[in-house]
Amino acid sequence: MYSATLRPGEKVILFEGTYLKRDGSSRTMRFVKIDELPADFLNKISKGGKGPKLAEGLENVWDVDKNDFRVFNHNTLQTKLTVTEIKEETLSTNR
């Protein structure tokens, strides 16, 4: 698993998109890609190792609203992904 090395105050890329869930409902998610999470943050929230292998188009991400790992489905994307930057300090965890 890769992670970004950031200096204090540096920015993290935040993605937002809406996709169709298995049950047919839409879900809008704001997330940071796992390989773009700061190393210190990733070490705090994970036990190391690799996440589960997912089918093509599915991606393990950090959901910034749920403060937990989630799977984003690019195969059923309903909106264009938007990209913004947030400060590393705004990432939080419930772990």
Side-chain angles (χ1 to χ4, degrees), residues 1 19 22 29 34 50-62 69-75:
M1 190 176 288
Y19 67 94
R22 282 187 211 168
M29 186 187 300
I34 301 298
K50 296 184 178 184
K53 184 164 174 66
L54 299 172
E56 187 173 330
L58 302 179
E59 180 179 17
N60 286 316
V61 298
W62 181 257
F69 293 105
R70 294 287 188 265
V71 174
F72 190 86
N73 189 345
H74 293 276
N75 295 325

mmCIF file of all heavy atoms in Angstrom, residues 1 19 22 29 34 50-62 69-75:
data_model
loop_
_atom_site.group_PDB
_atom_site.id
_atom_site.type_symbol
_atom_site.label_atom_id
_atom_site.label_comp_id
_atom_site.label_asym_id
_atom_site.label_seq_id
_atom_site.Cartn_x
_atom_site.Cartn_y
_atom_site.Cartn_z
ATOM 1 N N MET A 1 0.852 -1.170 0.000
ATOM 2 C CA MET A 1 0.000 0.000 0.000
ATOM 3 C C MET A 1 0.899 1.234 0.000
ATOM 4 O O MET A 1 1.841 1.324 0.767
ATOM 5 C CB MET A 1 -0.899 -0.041 1.237
ATOM 6 C CG MET A 1 -1.981 0.994 1.216
ATOM 7 S SD MET A 1 -3.111 0.857 2.616
ATOM 8 C CE MET A 1 -4.008 -0.615 2.158
ATOM 9 N N TYR A 19 -22.438 7.628 -7.627
ATOM 10 C CA TYR A 19 -22.502 6.355 -8.344
ATOM 11 C C TYR A 19 -23.746 5.595 -7.912
ATOM 12 O O TYR A 19 -24.395 5.923 -6.922
ATOM 13 C CB TYR A 19 -21.239 5.517 -8.103
ATOM 14 C CG TYR A 19 -21.071 5.029 -6.682
ATOM 15 C CD1 TYR A 19 -21.515 3.772 -6.302
ATOM 16 C CD2 TYR A 19 -20.451 5.818 -5.715
ATOM 17 C CE1 TYR A 19 -21.361 3.317 -5.004
ATOM 18 C CE2 TYR A 19 -20.279 5.382 -4.431
ATOM 19 C CZ TYR A 19 -20.739 4.129 -4.075
ATOM 20 O OH TYR A 19 -20.580 3.681 -2.782
ATOM 21 N N ARG A 22 -25.416 -1.176 -5.486
ATOM 22 C CA ARG A 22 -25.991 -2.466 -5.881
ATOM 23 C C ARG A 22 -27.506 -2.506 -5.742
ATOM 24 O O ARG A 22 -28.188 -3.157 -6.520
ATOM 25 C CB ARG A 22 -25.409 -3.599 -5.037
ATOM 26 C CG ARG A 22 -24.065 -4.018 -5.452
ATOM 27 C CD ARG A 22 -23.668 -5.236 -4.683
ATOM 28 N NE ARG A 22 -22.226 -5.233 -4.503
ATOM 29 C CZ ARG A 22 -21.569 -6.010 -3.714
ATOM 30 N NH1 ARG A 22 -22.203 -6.893 -2.981
ATOM 31 N NH2 ARG A 22 -20.265 -5.939 -3.626
ATOM 32 N N MET A 29 -20.316 10.430 -2.777
ATOM 33 C CA MET A 29 -19.241 10.202 -1.824
ATOM 34 C C MET A 29 -18.126 11.218 -2.046
ATOM 35 O O MET A 29 -17.782 11.533 -3.182
ATOM 36 C CB MET A 29 -18.672 8.784 -1.993
ATOM 37 C CG MET A 29 -17.634 8.419 -0.946
ATOM 38 S SD MET A 29 -16.804 6.831 -1.241
ATOM 39 C CE MET A 29 -18.150 5.683 -1.232
ATOM 40 N N ILE A 34 -6.659 5.934 -1.479
ATOM 41 C CA ILE A 34 -5.786 5.359 -0.463
ATOM 42 C C ILE A 34 -4.329 5.711 -0.712
ATOM 43 O O ILE A 34 -3.604 6.081 0.222
ATOM 44 C CB ILE A 34 -5.952 3.818 -0.404
ATOM 45 C CG1 ILE A 34 -7.392 3.440 -0.083
ATOM 46 C CG2 ILE A 34 -4.969 3.203 0.589
ATOM 47 C CD1 ILE A 34 -7.919 3.905 1.245
ATOM 48 N N LYS A 50 -2.233 -5.016 2.553
ATOM 49 C CA LYS A 50 -2.992 -4.573 1.382
ATOM 50 C C LYS A 50 -4.469 -4.808 1.615
ATOM 51 O O LYS A 50 -4.878 -5.725 2.315
ATOM 52 C CB LYS A 50 -2.537 -5.347 0.148
ATOM 53 C CG LYS A 50 -1.101 -5.084 -0.216
ATOM 54 C CD LYS A 50 -0.727 -5.799 -1.483
ATOM 55 C CE LYS A 50 0.715 -5.460 -1.829
ATOM 56 N NZ LYS A 50 1.128 -6.028 -3.080
ATOM 57 N N GLY A 51 -5.270 -3.979 0.999
ATOM 58 C CA GLY A 51 -6.715 -4.153 1.071
ATOM 59 C C GLY A 51 -7.134 -5.315 0.186
ATOM 60 O O GLY A 51 -6.324 -5.900 -0.529
ATOM 61 N N PRO A 52 -8.404 -5.659 0.223
ATOM 62 C CA PRO A 52 -8.893 -6.766 -0.600
ATOM 63 C C PRO A 52 -8.787 -6.463 -2.090
ATOM 64 O O PRO A 52 -8.864 -5.316 -2.493
ATOM 65 C CB PRO A 52 -10.360 -6.904 -0.180
ATOM 66 C CG PRO A 52 -10.724 -5.583 0.388
ATOM 67 C CD PRO A 52 -9.471 -5.005 0.966
ATOM 68 N N LYS A 53 -8.577 -7.511 -2.879
ATOM 69 C CA LYS A 53 -8.552 -7.342 -4.332
ATOM 70 C C LYS A 53 -9.985 -7.163 -4.811
ATOM 71 O O LYS A 53 -10.869 -7.931 -4.474
ATOM 72 C CB LYS A 53 -7.916 -8.565 -4.989
ATOM 73 C CG LYS A 53 -7.753 -8.431 -6.474
ATOM 74 C CD LYS A 53 -6.796 -9.452 -7.000
ATOM 75 C CE LYS A 53 -6.721 -9.436 -8.500
ATOM 76 N NZ LYS A 53 -6.177 -8.268 -9.086
ATOM 77 N N LEU A 54 -10.191 -6.097 -5.569
ATOM 78 C CA LEU A 54 -11.534 -5.755 -6.041
ATOM 79 C C LEU A 54 -11.646 -5.943 -7.544
ATOM 80 O O LEU A 54 -10.647 -5.894 -8.266
ATOM 81 C CB LEU A 54 -11.853 -4.304 -5.697
ATOM 82 C CG LEU A 54 -11.864 -3.957 -4.213
ATOM 83 C CD1 LEU A 54 -12.010 -2.457 -4.027
ATOM 84 C CD2 LEU A 54 -12.979 -4.698 -3.502
ATOM 85 N N ALA A 55 -12.865 -6.110 -7.999
ATOM 86 C CA ALA A 55 -13.132 -6.212 -9.431
ATOM 87 C C ALA A 55 -12.767 -4.889 -10.108
ATOM 88 O O ALA A 55 -12.713 -3.834 -9.465
ATOM 89 C CB ALA A 55 -14.606 -6.532 -9.663
ATOM 90 N N GLU A 56 -12.541 -4.960 -11.406
ATOM 91 C CA GLU A 56 -12.191 -3.771 -12.181
ATOM 92 C C GLU A 56 -13.285 -2.707 -12.026
ATOM 93 O O GLU A 56 -14.474 -3.012 -12.069
ATOM 94 C CB GLU A 56 -12.029 -4.135 -13.651
ATOM 95 C CG GLU A 56 -11.505 -2.993 -14.481
ATOM 96 C CD GLU A 56 -11.193 -3.406 -15.903
ATOM 97 O OE1 GLU A 56 -10.827 -4.574 -16.136
ATOM 98 O OE2 GLU A 56 -11.308 -2.542 -16.783
ATOM 99 N N GLY A 57 -12.856 -1.468 -11.807
ATOM 100 C CA GLY A 57 -13.783 -0.358 -11.670
ATOM 101 C C GLY A 57 -14.165 -0.046 -10.234
ATOM 102 O O GLY A 57 -14.761 0.982 -9.962
ATOM 103 N N LEU A 58 -13.830 -0.950 -9.304
ATOM 104 C CA LEU A 58 -14.084 -0.717 -7.888
ATOM 105 C C LEU A 58 -12.780 -0.277 -7.232
ATOM 106 O O LEU A 58 -11.717 -0.789 -7.568
ATOM 107 C CB LEU A 58 -14.609 -1.976 -7.202
ATOM 108 C CG LEU A 58 -15.898 -2.568 -7.766
ATOM 109 C CD1 LEU A 58 -16.288 -3.830 -7.001
ATOM 110 C CD2 LEU A 58 -17.034 -1.558 -7.722
ATOM 111 N N GLU A 59 -12.871 0.666 -6.306
ATOM 112 C CA GLU A 59 -11.662 1.211 -5.690
ATOM 113 C C GLU A 59 -11.877 1.414 -4.189
ATOM 114 O O GLU A 59 -12.870 2.007 -3.765
ATOM 115 C CB GLU A 59 -11.320 2.553 -6.344
ATOM 116 C CG GLU A 59 -10.095 3.203 -5.783
ATOM 117 C CD GLU A 59 -9.751 4.519 -6.469
ATOM 118 O OE1 GLU A 59 -10.626 5.099 -7.164
ATOM 119 O OE2 GLU A 59 -8.622 4.973 -6.307
ATOM 120 N N ASN A 60 -10.932 0.922 -3.392
ATOM 121 C CA ASN A 60 -10.928 1.209 -1.960
ATOM 122 C C ASN A 60 -10.519 2.665 -1.774
ATOM 123 O O ASN A 60 -9.533 3.111 -2.352
ATOM 124 C CB ASN A 60 -9.925 0.318 -1.224
ATOM 125 C CG ASN A 60 -10.397 -1.095 -1.091
ATOM 126 O OD1 ASN A 60 -11.546 -1.332 -0.761
ATOM 127 N ND2 ASN A 60 -9.507 -2.039 -1.348
ATOM 128 N N VAL A 61 -11.295 3.402 -0.970
ATOM 129 C CA VAL A 61 -11.029 4.821 -0.740
ATOM 130 C C VAL A 61 -11.291 5.140 0.734
ATOM 131 O O VAL A 61 -11.866 4.334 1.472
ATOM 132 C CB VAL A 61 -11.920 5.718 -1.633
ATOM 133 C CG1 VAL A 61 -11.638 5.482 -3.109
ATOM 134 C CG2 VAL A 61 -13.399 5.507 -1.346
ATOM 135 N N TRP A 62 -10.878 6.349 1.157
ATOM 136 C CA TRP A 62 -11.197 6.851 2.488
ATOM 137 C C TRP A 62 -12.338 7.844 2.341
ATOM 138 O O TRP A 62 -12.190 8.897 1.732
ATOM 139 C CB TRP A 62 -9.982 7.522 3.122
ATOM 140 C CG TRP A 62 -10.279 8.021 4.498
ATOM 141 C CD1 TRP A 62 -10.522 9.314 4.876
ATOM 142 C CD2 TRP A 62 -10.408 7.238 5.686
ATOM 143 N NE1 TRP A 62 -10.780 9.373 6.217
ATOM 144 C CE2 TRP A 62 -10.722 8.111 6.747
ATOM 145 C CE3 TRP A 62 -10.292 5.868 5.954
ATOM 146 C CZ2 TRP A 62 -10.910 7.672 8.051
ATOM 147 C CZ3 TRP A 62 -10.474 5.438 7.257
ATOM 148 C CH2 TRP A 62 -10.783 6.328 8.273
ATOM 149 N N PHE A 69 -13.057 3.421 5.630
ATOM 150 C CA PHE A 69 -12.814 2.896 4.298
ATOM 151 C C PHE A 69 -14.138 2.539 3.647
ATOM 152 O O PHE A 69 -15.049 2.036 4.293
ATOM 153 C CB PHE A 69 -11.931 1.647 4.358
ATOM 154 C CG PHE A 69 -10.534 1.915 4.827
ATOM 155 C CD1 PHE A 69 -10.138 1.562 6.106
ATOM 156 C CD2 PHE A 69 -9.613 2.526 3.990
ATOM 157 C CE1 PHE A 69 -8.859 1.804 6.548
ATOM 158 C CE2 PHE A 69 -8.327 2.772 4.420
ATOM 159 C CZ PHE A 69 -7.937 2.412 5.705
ATOM 160 N N ARG A 70 -14.240 2.786 2.348
ATOM 161 C CA ARG A 70 -15.407 2.431 1.558
ATOM 162 C C ARG A 70 -14.923 2.008 0.178
ATOM 163 O O ARG A 70 -13.781 2.232 -0.192
ATOM 164 C CB ARG A 70 -16.371 3.617 1.396
ATOM 165 C CG ARG A 70 -17.035 4.072 2.683
ATOM 166 C CD ARG A 70 -18.094 3.044 3.107
ATOM 167 N NE ARG A 70 -18.888 3.507 4.225
ATOM 168 C CZ ARG A 70 -18.645 3.223 5.496
ATOM 169 N NH1 ARG A 70 -17.609 2.504 5.821
ATOM 170 N NH2 ARG A 70 -19.436 3.658 6.452
ATOM 171 N N VAL A 71 -15.828 1.445 -0.615
ATOM 172 C CA VAL A 71 -15.527 1.081 -1.997
ATOM 173 C C VAL A 71 -16.302 2.030 -2.898
ATOM 174 O O VAL A 71 -17.520 2.179 -2.755
ATOM 175 C CB VAL A 71 -15.906 -0.386 -2.286
ATOM 176 C CG1 VAL A 71 -15.720 -0.707 -3.766
ATOM 177 C CG2 VAL A 71 -15.085 -1.331 -1.414
ATOM 178 N N PHE A 72 -15.594 2.688 -3.809
ATOM 179 C CA PHE A 72 -16.228 3.567 -4.790
ATOM 180 C C PHE A 72 -16.351 2.801 -6.098
ATOM 181 O O PHE A 72 -15.389 2.186 -6.568
ATOM 182 C CB PHE A 72 -15.402 4.845 -4.991
ATOM 183 C CG PHE A 72 -16.134 5.867 -5.811
ATOM 184 C CD1 PHE A 72 -17.005 6.765 -5.221
ATOM 185 C CD2 PHE A 72 -15.976 5.920 -7.187
ATOM 186 C CE1 PHE A 72 -17.707 7.691 -5.981
ATOM 187 C CE2 PHE A 72 -16.656 6.845 -7.959
ATOM 188 C CZ PHE A 72 -17.531 7.731 -7.342
ATOM 189 N N ASN A 73 -17.549 2.845 -6.714
ATOM 190 C CA ASN A 73 -17.818 2.103 -7.939
ATOM 191 C C ASN A 73 -17.744 3.036 -9.147
ATOM 192 O O ASN A 73 -18.689 3.762 -9.445
ATOM 193 C CB ASN A 73 -19.197 1.439 -7.860
ATOM 194 C CG ASN A 73 -19.436 0.487 -8.995
ATOM 195 O OD1 ASN A 73 -18.733 0.495 -9.998
ATOM 196 N ND2 ASN A 73 -20.443 -0.356 -8.851
ATOM 197 N N HIS A 74 -16.609 2.996 -9.847
ATOM 198 C CA HIS A 74 -16.429 3.824 -11.039
ATOM 199 C C HIS A 74 -17.260 3.300 -12.217
ATOM 200 O O HIS A 74 -17.542 4.046 -13.156
ATOM 201 C CB HIS A 74 -14.951 3.864 -11.439
ATOM 202 C CG HIS A 74 -14.082 4.572 -10.455
ATOM 203 N ND1 HIS A 74 -13.930 5.935 -10.451
ATOM 204 C CD2 HIS A 74 -13.343 4.103 -9.425
ATOM 205 C CE1 HIS A 74 -13.104 6.283 -9.481
ATOM 206 N NE2 HIS A 74 -12.743 5.192 -8.835
ATOM 207 N N ASN A 75 -17.660 2.017 -12.163
ATOM 208 C CA ASN A 75 -18.431 1.419 -13.255
ATOM 209 C C ASN A 75 -19.822 2.019 -13.396
ATOM 210 O O ASN A 75 -20.398 1.992 -14.480
ATOM 211 C CB ASN A 75 -18.568 -0.101 -13.047
ATOM 212 C CG ASN A 75 -17.236 -0.802 -13.112
ATOM 213 O OD1 ASN A 75 -16.349 -0.432 -13.876
ATOM 214 N ND2 ASN A 75 -17.080 -1.825 -12.290
#
